[in-house]
Amino acid sequence: MQVEIWSVPGLSEADCQAMEGLYRAHYDGAPAEAFRRDLAVKERAILLRDAEGVRGFSTLRRLTVGGRKVLFSGDTVVAASCRNQTGLAGAFGHVMQRLAQEGGEPYRWLLICKGARTYRFLPTFFRHFTPGAVEEPALAAELRAIASELFPDAYDPSTGVLHFAADKDRLRTDVLRRDPESVRFRTLNPGWTQGDELCCLAPLDLGNLNALGWRVIRDVAPVWYE
């Protein structure tokens, strides 16, 4: 599996079509133009590619919200047959390292989760994040401030969930795992089957990575394309 990190303007039309095909194979409910509209405002795309073509992707955008530096994840999809690989996580770690080189206050990673598989990225690779098994009051307050500013009409600070009134995509299926993190996600976001999204935040300080996070960074060597 080849792991690539692209600037969005550098993506070929064929790759954009392949990404959109993966997205539509896994989500229902979004209007026809939604994927391209979302992609157009992102800066980076992580692609997983094998002999069959693009097999997974994630999109990223840097923001400044209330004086905080925020990295916002957009659509993330991986073909079912490729979900045991660590390329996506490793490439994200390399993006973290590049952002850390900017210096100053570290970025916060804003992740909005439609399914438990996405949420589990946090407890798998990070020491501190919210919401989680251990309450992080200061981080939770940051999350409420950021999400309230970015999604004033959809975000409910009492639940931490985004609810969009119309034209919202939703997962076609998801494995109902019984591990504690997956159960926690479904408890926190009971409307996930209708497209509600759980807002999450993690410091993108390299010291916030756990041992597994560092291991996947070492094991993955992405190719950067501008």
Side-chain angles (χ1 to χ4, degrees):
M1 183 73 67
Q2 179 165 310
V3 183
E4 304 168 353
I5 303 174
W6 286 84
S7 67
V8 167
L11 291 168
S12 69
E13 176 60 22
D15 283 344
C16 291
Q17 289 179 7
M19 293 164 67
E20 185 169 7
L22 276 173
Y23 168 79
R24 299 207 175 277
H26 290 81
Y27 291 97
D28 286 324
E33 71 279 4
F35 177 81
R36 292 300 183 108
R37 185 175 60 223
D38 181 79
L39 181 62
V41 298
K42 296 300 189 296
E43 294 178 81
R44 293 276 180 189
I46 299 171
L47 268 58
L48 306 179
R49 192 191 305 272
D50 65 12
E52 296 182 30
V54 176
R55 307 287 283 154
F57 70 89
S58 184
T59 60
L60 302 167
R61 179 187 182 189
R62 291 175 297 172
L63 302 168
T64 301
V65 185
R68 301 175 180 89
K69 296 191 295 186
V70 175
L71 183 67
F72 176 54
S73 285
D75 294 317
T76 300
V77 182
V78 178
S81 60
C82 302
R83 286 176 186 160
N84 290 329
Q85 57 74 45
T86 59
L88 202 65
F92 186 84
H94 282 270
V95 172
M96 280 183 64
Q97 289 182 310
R98 181 169 288 196
L99 292 176
Q101 292 173 2
E102 295 181 6
E105 187 70 19
Y107 279 81
R108 290 332 195 211
W109 181 30
L110 177 64
L111 178 66
I112 58 175
C113 305
K114 299 183 181 77
R117 184 180 294 111
T118 304
Y119 174 76
R120 291 176 75 248
F121 195 102
L122 291 163
T124 300
F125 299 110
F126 287 88
R127 299 178 186 276
H128 301 284
F129 59 91
T130 191
V134 177
E135 187 177 2
E136 302 255 4
L139 201 55
E142 284 193 65
L143 173 57
R144 288 192 294 272
I146 291 168
S148 295
E149 183 168 337
L150 288 178
F151 308 104
D153 298 325
Y155 179 63
D156 183 347
S158 69
T159 63
V161 169
L162 295 173
H163 176 77
F164 295 92
D167 292 335
K168 185 55 190 166
D169 54 353
R170 58 191 179 276
L171 277 170
R172 288 188 172 182
T173 60
D174 197 17
V175 177
L176 298 181
R177 299 175 182 268
R178 301 303 304 173
D179 61 275
E181 291 81 10
S182 297
V183 172
R184 183 179 306 115
F185 168 80
R186 295 193 295 270
T187 301
L188 291 169
N189 185 16
W192 69 273
T193 56
Q194 285 77 51
D196 286 356
E197 300 184 70
L198 180 66
C199 291
C200 307
L201 198 71
L204 289 185
D205 183 332
L206 295 177
N208 194 27
L209 287 168
N210 61 25
L212 181 56
W214 280 110
R215 188 187 311 159
V216 297
I217 291 175
R218 291 193 297 268
D219 289 347
V220 174
V223 180
W224 291 76
Y225 296 94
E226 300 299 332

